[in-house]
Amino acid sequence: MKHVRHFTPSLFLNLVHVCLVQANYAPYFFDNGARSTNGNMALLSLSEDTPVGTHVYTLNGTDPEGDPVTYGLTYEAGSRRYFSVDRNLGNVTLIEELDREKEDEIEVIVSISDGLSTVSEKVRILVTDANDESPEFINTPYIVQVPENIHANKFTIDRHSGVLRIKTGVTLDYEKSRTHFVIVVAKDGGGKLRGDNKVFSATTTVTVNVEDVQDTPPMFIGTPYYGYVYEDTLAGSEVLTVVALDGDRGKPNSIRYCLVNGSEGSFEISNTTGAISVIKSPNQLKKEVYELKVQASEVSPEGDISVYAFAMVTIRVVDLNNHPPTFYGENGPQNRFELTMYEHPPEGEILRGLKITVNDSDQGANAKFNLRLVGPGGIFRVVPQTVLNEAQVTIIVENSAAIDYEKFKVLTFKLLAIEVNTPERFSSTADVVIRLLDTNDNVPKFSSDYYIARIPENSPGGSNVVAITATDPDSGLWGEVKYSIYGTGADLFLIHPSTGIIYTQPWAVLDAEVNSKYNFYVKAEDTDGKYSLAEVFITVLDVNDHSPEFNENIQEKTMIIGSPVKIEAIDQDAEEPNNIVDYSIMQADPANVFDIDQSTGEIKLKSYIRSLDIIHNITKNKDCIWSVVVQAKDRGSPSFSTTAVLKIDITEETLHKGPMAAFLMQTKDNPMKALGVLAGVMGIMVLITIMISTAMFWRNKRSNKIMPVRRIIKKRQPQPSRTVRMEWLKFKRPSNAAEKFVVEDDAQSLQNENSNNNVQVAPVPPAAPVPPPPPALASSGDAPGWRVPTVSGSLTPKFINKQLKKRGHSSAHNALVSELKMRFEKRNAAIGEPHI
């Protein structure tokens, strides 16, 4: 049924106000008792032979507010469905055959709804037994003799007078049987009078015709009656015709029709034909279903109404689906709704600022439609999702995190209403616009978790190092970021609180040689104190601000022909190439004598110079000492260099080869090292002697056998020459400075004899000499005796071989000691220590 409402503006507003404050009460069923055919189906009984398709009951209820109600039938899971219901009329129809022998009770859940509230009740329907099982005879056939005069009928006869009468309590019905046939048998007195025992009889048939009387009320034909009024039906149109007949068929009376109730002024009936017509236009009909009570009365020829009967006529107003769903605001139809709210509302919150109502003016299934939101998914949900006729639309927050001002300043959705079960599938849409307000929900975020910067050393104070960037997507003051710096490595640096530029302190001096790495943290903070951190790594770049410096012992070198000497300069710069040193010879006289390795600083003679004789042919300088100007230059830009004058004393190998000679040659320029090694060797010899003596002492002490003291005098053996134990070190008178030592080892033991390497491996010292026998009692006139060994462990012979005396042993020894002393004094003078 279509509802058309005409309101004045003030009345409309008043009605809306009432709807907003009035509480909604749930609908309910009428409880009309166990034998009622309408209500809530409680205690309904049905015979098991009820035909399928029979209208067995009518659900009936009401809503306290007068809203239209709908009905429903549901079953427990797994239960069989026996009934269906018309949602709008409540008519319950049997759709499945009943069988009491299989199921004698049926449980059904009946429901009534006003669109907002639904009430459900569980009812039980009883299935009663019917005579639907035919009896079955056994031991057939049966043969029974029945007297002929036993006949059950509606008549009796006086056996003497022959008067035929109707039995007491029996009535004849013209409508059921108009004629009755009665067989009458007449018998005589029998053989008792004649003495022959014979009986004679005569049979006749009596026809009894029943005369009709006015005793049966009229009967309606074709019940139940249903009619339909469509939305386009014109007023005055005939809806349906009811027919009633006089129950007395012999002399039927005429029938007159009238409407008893249920019309409500919307319908009328022809009193002669029984045609029912609608007298209002369909849009003026107030109800969807009308129940009309029709009376059919018999009218006698005299015009009197004798008997009458009643019938119910159901007329349904059928809606045409010609109205789409429509959205309403507080002031009427509306297709755009707007709301302003803060971002990140709690999930489950209702957007109460949106006042949306949706309505479909059609009726029944034509007014059923679905609601859904079209737009960014998963953010909001709409309730209800299915609507019948009209509902208040509610939008609920489903995903709070997605309602983000930084992502969407405005959220726009389409609210779609589309019909469900109509061929037309009418629909309508409304725009829902949600404008978001910002909150401080973000933390400032750096563009990187760490920053790496480089700055040259010696940069002036206040120099910019690196720009740190952090952003806060919040708006206004919440999006302003302030920077600060802290950490142990931040002492030399400052940061601008607004721009994030890191620069050096005004007094800061950066030196890569002192500290080339700095590490600290920066903090970005908004006005509410929310912050994040990032780490800063600063490398101080080396600048070539140091010149190479030669070490202390560069002034004088001794070069053995065939072996190089090495010079070394150190550049204090921190990084390459500033600290890489290249060596070169700037000046030498003559110039074509030496070569120098550019990278290592090793100086050696030209490959063609293999002896002192060749050198003598080059220069007239007989002492073979050269002054060479060498340069150490770094590879920085600009480059720095240092020059030094190096005196090179060239000698030639003349000593016999041996480890001791090689060691002395290697330590010629470092006398303290030689003295230290010799003292260590002597200490080891003394320690070994003590250990041997201790072991012999304990061995003798532990012996259990005491031997008598005996004095055994043996003849002294000739004293062997001790020169053989000194063969590893032989002295000779040198002819020049290059012939101070004679070394017997091979050439491999002389590698890098004059190189100034940082690590020198001392040669293995010679084995300790065997201690001499005890001195003789008789003293010798000229030969000095053996001296007691010193604490350093050295042993000095008391006599000297004549051959050694001839070779000038004393002079060679004095020359070596004098040279070592001279070099030691030079070293002390260079480092400022007092002379010995």
Side-chain angles (χ1 to χ4, degrees):
M1 179 178 66
K2 178 178 180 182
H3 298 280
V4 179
R5 302 172 184 172
H6 300 281
F7 300 111
T8 63
S10 60
L11 180 58
F12 180 79
L13 293 177
N14 290 335
L15 290 175
V16 172
H17 176 73
V18 171
C19 292
L20 290 176
V21 300
Q22 183 176 359
N24 180 54
Y25 295 95
Y28 60 90
F29 283 103
F30 293 128
D31 189 1
N32 295 328
R35 296 185 179 181
S36 175
T37 59
N38 65 83
N40 61 354
M41 291 183 73
L43 301 178
L44 174 65
S45 298
L46 289 178
S47 175
E48 66 176 345
D49 61 351
T50 303
V52 174
T54 302
H55 174 207
V56 297
Y57 200 85
T58 300
L59 293 175
N60 192 9
T62 186
D63 182 74
E65 291 84 5
D67 292 334
V69 296
T70 58
Y71 303 94
L73 283 179
T74 58
Y75 299 84
E76 296 289 345
S79 299
R80 195 171 184 179
R81 299 175 60 88
Y82 287 93
F83 307 97
S84 66
V85 65
D86 188 311
R87 289 180 53 84
N88 299 305
L89 300 179
N91 293 332
V92 179
T93 304
L94 181 66
I95 61 174
E96 189 73 23
E97 184 176 350
L98 300 175
D99 190 348
R100 186 179 185 277
E101 283 70 32
K102 294 182 179 179
E103 190 171 4
D104 59 353
E105 290 183 357
I106 301 173
E107 287 187 349
V108 180
I109 300 174
V110 297
S111 62
I112 183 172
S113 174
D114 63 354
L116 295 177
S117 301
T118 300
V119 176
S120 299
E121 299 178 10
K122 181 183 286 187
V123 297
R124 182 174 298 172
I125 298 169
L126 303 178
V127 181
T128 60
D129 196 15
N131 189 18
D132 57 350
E133 301 294 331
S134 300
E136 185 175 351
F137 289 98
I138 61 174
N139 300 322
T140 58
Y142 295 101
I143 301 175
V144 179
Q145 299 295 329
V146 178
E148 64 176 356
N149 60 348
I150 298 178
H151 180 73
N153 52 47
K154 296 184 178 183
F155 301 94
T156 182
I157 192 170
D158 189 315
R159 59 184 303 178
H160 300 289
S161 64
V163 176
L164 185 67
R165 296 184 179 90
I166 300 174
K167 286 184 177 180
T168 304
V170 175
T171 59
L172 300 180
D173 192 345
Y174 176 83
E175 285 71 32
K176 294 182 178 179
S177 178
R178 298 180 181 182
T179 304
H180 298 269
F181 298 97
V182 180
I183 300 174
V184 179
V185 178
K187 298 179 181 180
D188 60 9
K192 293 180 179 181
L193 296 178
R194 295 188 300 266
D196 55 4
N197 293 328
K198 292 182 179 180
V199 177
F200 294 93
S201 64
T203 303
T204 185
T205 301
V206 179
T207 301
V208 180
N209 294 319
V210 181
E211 185 181 3
D212 189 21
V213 296
Q214 294 297 325
D215 61 346
T216 304
M219 300 173 54
F220 283 95
I221 306 302
T223 58
Y225 294 105
Y226 293 97
Y228 299 93
V229 176
Y230 295 95
E231 193 173 4
D232 57 351
T233 302
L234 298 177
S237 300
E238 182 179 324
V239 178
L240 80 161
T241 300
V242 296
V243 178
L245 299 176
D246 187 355
D248 298 315
R249 305 295 178 86
K251 296 178 181 179
N253 292 326
S254 61
I255 304 297
R256 296 292 183 265
Y257 302 94
C258 67
L259 293 177
V260 179
N261 56 39
S263 171
E264 300 182 6
S266 301
F267 299 92
E268 65 180 8
I269 188 170
S270 174
N271 62 350
T272 57
T273 64
I276 299 175
S277 302
V278 60
I279 60 177
K280 292 182 179 179
S281 64
N283 58 5
Q284 293 178 324
L285 300 179
K286 303 299 183 181
K287 296 172 63 177
E288 184 179 352
V289 178
Y290 288 84
E291 296 286 345
L292 307 181
K293 188 175 183 180
V294 180
Q295 177 180 318
S297 305
E298 292 184 12
V299 180
S300 66
E302 292 80 13
D304 297 330
I305 297 177
S306 57
V307 292
Y308 52 85
F310 298 98
M312 296 301 298
V313 177
T314 301
I315 298 178
R316 177 181 298 174
V317 180
V318 179
D319 177 58
L320 296 178
N321 188 30
N322 54 0
H323 294 90
T326 304
F327 293 100
Y328 294 87
E330 294 179 315
N331 299 319
Q334 188 172 329
N335 60 4
R336 182 180 177 88
F337 301 88
E338 296 187 3
L339 174 68
T340 300
M341 59 180 289
Y342 284 101
E343 63 177 339
H344 304 305
E347 294 182 0
E349 181 174 295
I350 297 175
L351 305 187
R352 303 186 183 278
L354 294 175
K355 306 295 184 180
I356 306 174
T357 302
V358 62
N359 173 271
D360 191 324
S361 299
D362 294 317
Q363 298 299 319
N366 294 335
K368 186 177 182 181
F369 56 93
N370 289 337
L371 283 177
R372 61 188 178 97
L373 279 176
V374 180
I379 299 179
F380 298 100
R381 62 186 175 93
V382 63
V383 175
Q385 295 183 350
T386 301
V387 179
L388 183 64
N389 288 115
E390 184 175 292
Q392 182 77 28
V393 179
T394 302
I395 297 178
I396 302 174
V397 176
E398 194 168 44
N399 186 355
S400 176
I403 308 174
D404 193 345
Y405 175 85
E406 285 70 37
K407 296 180 181 178
F408 311 100
K409 303 293 187 297
V410 178
L411 289 169
T412 303
F413 298 88
K414 288 283 187 183
L415 184 58
L416 174 63
I418 182 170
E419 292 180 347
V420 180
N421 296 320
T422 63
E424 296 81 7
R425 301 279 291 179
F426 288 139
S427 65
S428 62
T429 60
D431 293 326
V432 179
V433 179
I434 301 175
R435 305 184 187 279
L436 297 180
L437 300 177
D438 192 22
T439 60
N440 188 21
D441 60 329
N442 291 282
V443 176
K445 186 177 181 181
F446 285 98
S447 59
S448 176
D449 292 335
Y450 58 89
Y451 294 85
I452 299 175
R454 297 174 177 84
I455 182 173
E457 65 176 344
N458 302 331
S459 296
S463 298
N464 291 343
V465 180
V466 64
I468 303 300
T469 303
T471 57
D472 190 327
D474 292 319
S475 61
L477 295 177
W478 290 325
E480 295 182 1
V481 178
K482 291 186 178 181
Y483 301 93
S484 58
I485 188 173
Y486 67 96
T488 56
D491 297 338
L492 301 182
F493 302 94
L494 297 173
I495 188 170
H496 194 282
S498 300
T499 63
I501 296 177
I502 297 176
Y503 56 94
T504 59
Q505 295 271 15
W507 45 264
V509 177
L510 301 179
D511 190 344
E513 289 74 33
V514 176
N515 189 1
S516 63
K517 304 291 183 182
Y518 294 90
N519 173 223
F520 50 85
Y521 292 91
V522 290
K523 179 168 73 171
E525 185 176 14
D526 63 15
T527 54
D528 273 358
K530 295 183 177 181
Y531 68 91
S532 60
L533 301 177
E535 197 167 4
V536 179
F537 300 89
I538 296 178
T539 300
V540 179
L541 299 177
D542 183 44
V543 176
N544 192 23
D545 56 352
H546 291 84
S547 300
E549 295 181 1
F550 287 103
N551 54 14
E552 299 174 355
N553 59 350
I554 192 177
Q555 292 87 356
E556 186 175 346
K557 296 286 185 180
T558 299
M559 176 183 290
I560 299 175
I561 295 177
S563 298
V565 295
K566 183 178 181 180
I567 62 173
E568 185 177 10
I570 298 176
D571 194 311
Q572 297 296 330
D573 286 315
E575 297 178 359
E576 297 180 356
N578 297 334
N579 58 4
I580 297 179
V581 179
D582 293 332
Y583 301 93
S584 63
I585 296 176
M586 304 298 296
Q587 183 180 353
D589 186 21
N592 196 22
V593 176
F594 300 101
D595 286 329
I596 188 169
D597 189 295
Q598 179 182 358
S599 300
T600 64
E602 287 188 349
I603 301 175
K604 59 183 178 180
L605 294 172
K606 296 286 185 180
S607 58
Y608 66 88
I609 300 177
R610 301 178 180 176
S611 65
L612 288 176
D613 295 335
I614 298 175
I615 295 177
H616 292 158
N617 293 333
I618 296 174
T619 178
K620 297 180 179 180
N621 189 359
K622 300 302 182 180
D623 57 4
C624 296
I625 297 176
W626 263 265
S627 294
V628 179
V629 179
V630 294
Q631 181 189 61
K633 183 178 182 181
D634 61 30
R635 297 183 184 180
S637 179
S639 178
F640 291 100
S641 62
T642 302
T643 58
V645 178
L646 175 64
K647 291 184 178 181
I648 300 177
D649 185 2
I650 301 176
T651 63
E652 189 175 22
E653 283 185 333
T654 56
L655 292 175
H656 296 289
K657 296 181 180 180
M660 190 61 182
F663 172 73
L664 292 176
M665 289 300 298
Q666 291 177 3
T667 59
K668 179 180 180 182
D669 295 330
N670 193 351
M672 295 301 296
K673 181 178 180 181
L675 292 176
V677 172
L678 292 175
V681 172
M682 292 181 183
I684 291 173
M685 294 172 60
V686 171
L687 180 61
I688 292 173
T689 303
I690 294 173
M691 292 175 63
I692 293 174
S693 301
T694 303
M696 294 178 64
F697 170 77
W698 284 104
R699 184 190 65 182
N700 295 333
K701 184 176 181 180
R702 292 177 181 178
S703 177
N704 295 326
K705 186 177 180 180
I706 301 176
M707 301 298 295
V709 178
R710 296 181 180 180
R711 182 169 181 175
I712 301 174
I713 301 175
K714 295 183 178 180
K715 184 178 181 181
R716 181 182 299 275
Q717 298 294 331
Q719 186 78 19
S721 175
R722 298 183 183 273
T723 58
V724 295
R725 300 184 180 273
M726 304 297 289
E727 290 180 356
W728 61 278
L729 177 62
K730 296 182 179 180
F731 297 93
K732 71 174 182 178
R733 186 182 302 275
S735 60
N736 51 43
E739 296 178 355
K740 294 178 181 179
F741 300 96
V742 177
V743 182
E744 295 181 353
D745 285 349
D746 54 7
Q748 293 182 357
S749 64
L750 296 176
Q751 292 181 359
N752 295 328
E753 283 181 333
N754 299 309
S755 63
N756 293 329
N757 294 328
N758 292 332
V759 179
Q760 293 285 350
V761 179
V764 180
V770 178
L777 296 176
S779 61
S780 175
D782 298 329
W786 284 91
R787 294 192 298 270
V788 177
T790 62
V791 294
S792 62
S794 62
L795 298 176
T796 304
K798 69 177 183 178
F799 60 88
I800 300 174
N801 189 281
K802 294 181 179 180
Q803 185 177 0
L804 292 177
K805 290 182 180 180
K806 292 181 180 180
R807 294 181 60 182
H809 172 268
S810 298
S811 61
H813 176 74
N814 293 336
L816 177 59
V817 174
S818 177
E819 184 175 357
L820 291 176
K821 181 179 181 181
M822 179 184 65
R823 291 187 179 278
F824 187 69
E825 290 176 352
K826 286 182 179 181
R827 175 182 175 280
N828 292 339
I831 63 176
E833 294 182 356
H835 296 287
I836 297 177

